[in-house]
Amino acid sequence: MYHLSKNLFYPPVSEANADGILAIGGDLSPERLQLAYSSGIFPWFEEDQPIIWWSPNPRMVLFLEDLVVSKSMRNILNRNIFKVTFNQDFRAVIAHCQQVKRDGQTGTWITNDMIEAYCKLHELGIAKSVEVWQDDQLVGGLYGVDLGHIFCGESMFSLVSNASKVAFVALVNQLKIENYKLLDCQVYNPHLESLGCREIKRNEFMRILK
């Protein structure tokens, strides 16, 4: 495992350990975060930990044509219960992602420093958000890092049933229009699998990334 210095450098992702951990240390500067994502690496750590940089193998992704939209979800979309916007309130989205309670988790990996770091990326046009509104209230959304051909999803939240799924479907539809290659979802979870995501080998992910 590598200990990062102030120099903008990451070792090859093939050096990651079996859990996917590649390096620790460094900082959350916009320059370092941009280099990380463009190199197939992302930060994931908790408040009392040093910054931990990951490049898991396998990698959870969505090839856009594989999106699964259930019949009940199509019905919700057709009823126009929600309004969807893009990049209208990035800070509120990431703050909700930090605060929402998740099954099996006692805390959050979205620290206050992470919020400020990604808000800086948003100001640079690199981190982007999807907002879902109901009766003018923000009820769901997601955010991630936009590499121009791959969107790296970071987190999503839902205050009412199905709101995060609406954000996910809206994002994928927009990525299709703009001819993106895939949506990076980082690591496996069953909810993502139900939406059509699957694991691929890291070297395949890196080939598409490069």
Side-chain angles (χ1 to χ4, degrees):
M1 187 186 305
Y2 285 76
H3 291 259
L4 300 179
S5 67
K6 292 183 179 180
N7 295 328
L8 285 180
F9 165 80
Y10 290 101
V13 296
S14 58
E15 299 294 322
N17 69 15
D19 294 323
I21 298 175
L22 178 65
I24 63 173
D27 55 48
L28 295 173
S29 67
E31 296 80 11
R32 187 178 292 280
L33 285 171
Q34 289 180 70
L35 177 61
Y37 283 93
S38 63
S39 303
I41 302 161
F42 59 88
W44 189 18
F45 61 100
E46 295 184 2
E47 190 76 58
D48 58 348
Q49 296 177 327
I51 301 172
I52 305 174
W53 301 92
W54 300 73
S55 185
N57 185 29
R59 189 88 169 212
M60 191 73 166
V61 303
L62 176 72
F63 290 97
L64 305 181
E65 65 275 11
D66 292 341
L67 175 67
V68 174
V69 182
S70 67
K71 185 176 179 180
S72 60
M73 191 68 224
R74 291 185 188 279
N75 182 47
I76 290 168
L77 294 170
N78 291 336
R79 289 163 58 195
N80 295 316
I81 299 170
F82 301 106
K83 175 185 175 183
V84 177
T85 59
F86 293 83
N87 301 308
Q88 294 302 300
D89 203 339
F90 182 92
R91 184 174 286 274
V93 169
I94 192 171
H96 276 294
C97 288
Q98 179 193 49
Q99 295 161 10
V100 70
K101 294 186 182 300
R102 304 178 193 277
D103 292 341
Q105 294 184 13
T106 56
T108 178
W109 56 271
I110 304 174
T111 66
N112 290 335
D113 287 345
M114 290 278 275
I115 288 179
E116 296 309 316
Y118 284 84
C119 283
K120 287 180 182 177
L121 280 187
H122 175 65
E123 291 168 5
L124 294 171
I126 297 165
K128 297 183 178 178
S129 61
V130 182
E131 303 87 19
V132 178
W133 309 84
Q134 188 173 41
D135 300 326
D136 296 323
Q137 298 295 314
L138 183 64
V139 295
L142 60 81
Y143 76 96
V145 174
D146 188 351
L147 297 179
H149 65 308
I150 289 176
F151 189 92
C152 303
E154 277 296 316
S155 185
M156 54 186 178
F157 80 97
S158 188
L159 301 182
V160 300
S161 182
N162 295 306
S164 62
K165 287 184 181 179
V166 170
F168 190 87
V169 172
L171 172 64
V172 173
N173 287 339
Q174 186 62 34
L175 296 180
K176 286 180 179 178
I177 291 170
E178 298 180 14
N179 296 314
Y180 278 58
K181 300 296 184 185
L182 56 75
L183 172 58
D184 172 30
C185 300
Q186 299 178 345
V187 294
Y188 174 87
N189 76 52
H191 175 63
L192 291 172
E193 185 178 42
S194 73
L195 293 169
C197 303
R198 60 186 171 92
E199 293 180 312
I200 62 174
K201 292 185 180 298
R202 182 173 54 213
N203 59 5
E204 181 182 355
F205 173 78
M206 294 300 296
R207 179 183 59 79
I208 298 169
L209 178 66
K210 298 299 183 182

